[in-house]
Amino acid sequence: MPLLVQAILFTLIPVAAATAAGIVAAAIALPARLQSGVQHFAAGVVFGAAAIELLPQLLQRSPAATLLGFALGIGALFALRWATERVEKARAGVAGFVAATAVDFLVDGLVIGAGFTAGGHTGVLLTVAVAIEYLFVGMSVAAALGDHVSPARVIGVPLGLALLTPVGAIVGAVALQGVPLFALATVLAFGAVAFMYLVTEELLVRAHEQGETALGSPLFFVGFLILLVIEEIV
């Protein structure tokens, strides 16, 4: 199967996950403590994708590219955070959160495309992590829209945002095919920063806002362990 087709098909899995999240959010309101637990779990899976799959390979292939990608990722993501906070202070509210999520989903697609360019194994694992991420980020987006929004919009907004992921994957797979290892490793290192930023600044922050649970922290490590098992199986 051609690389581009494979990347696009796999990104449909996160799109389906985001759609499912919107459907669940439109149908029922999950208890805050349950949301906290599943967000911890998702954070563990996403962190595992960066720590288990991306970083060891990158450091082995090109330490210099890894450092460069990290530096670029830190600068870009915290600039995005600064811009998002300014939008929210301007009373854009939900618009700022949705805009930040759109950028995140587009970058996720780019990283998945880069992952399939680097090797199918990497692309598959990143897709699994992103799909689990989208289940809970999609619910957060749907919940942020408020109770006054129609069910169709609650489902449609996460779906529309998730469709940016195949777009990013197409860009990543096409633009990075045949590029030098240094450039590919730089992009993947940037993606690793994006994944860890999502864990520390989004998923875990929102999880603690929902309230502490006895299972919260253990579920983080369960998610990490599951990603490790999947990595061994794949």
Side-chain angles (χ1 to χ4, degrees):
M1 183 182 299
L3 171 67
L4 181 59
V5 175
Q6 188 179 23
I8 294 173
L9 289 177
F10 269 88
T11 55
L12 296 180
I13 299 173
V15 171
T19 306
I23 293 172
V24 171
I28 59 174
L30 294 179
R33 291 185 179 275
L34 178 58
Q35 291 184 45
S36 175
V38 294
Q39 284 170 335
H40 274 91
F41 174 81
V45 172
V46 175
F47 190 84
I52 296 171
E53 177 62 20
L54 287 178
L55 291 180
Q57 290 190 33
L58 293 174
L59 288 171
Q60 183 178 16
R61 293 179 180 180
S62 180
T66 304
L67 292 175
L68 176 60
F70 252 70
L72 293 173
I74 292 170
L77 290 167
F78 280 94
L80 173 63
R81 176 181 175 179
W82 175 82
T84 302
E85 289 175 349
R86 286 180 64 87
V87 171
E88 290 175 349
K89 287 179 181 178
R91 299 184 179 179
V94 175
F97 178 43
V98 171
T101 304
V103 174
D104 174 53
F105 282 11
L106 187 63
V107 171
D108 285 345
L110 178 65
V111 174
I112 289 175
F116 277 102
T117 302
H121 177 272
T122 299
V124 170
L125 275 180
L126 293 177
T127 303
V128 170
V130 167
I132 294 173
E133 169 199 340
Y134 282 19
L135 278 173
F136 306 112
V137 175
M139 288 182 187
S140 297
V141 170
L145 295 174
D147 297 331
H148 62 284
V149 177
S150 67
R153 190 173 181 184
V154 170
I155 298 171
V157 172
L159 169 60
L161 292 172
L163 288 175
L164 292 170
T165 307
V167 174
I170 292 171
V171 173
V174 172
L176 296 173
Q177 192 166 14
V179 301
L181 175 62
F182 187 91
L184 181 59
T186 300
V187 172
L188 287 171
F190 183 99
V193 175
F195 276 28
M196 289 188 286
Y197 177 90
L198 173 72
V199 170
T200 57
E201 298 295 325
E202 293 292 338
L203 287 173
L204 290 181
V205 170
R206 293 184 179 278
H208 287 291
E209 288 175 351
Q210 299 293 339
E212 297 293 335
T213 66
L215 290 177
S217 295
L219 282 174
F220 174 88
F221 294 102
V222 170
F224 188 95
L225 179 61
I226 285 177
L227 199 286
L228 177 60
V229 171
I230 293 173
E231 198 274 342
E232 290 298 321
I233 294 174
V234 173

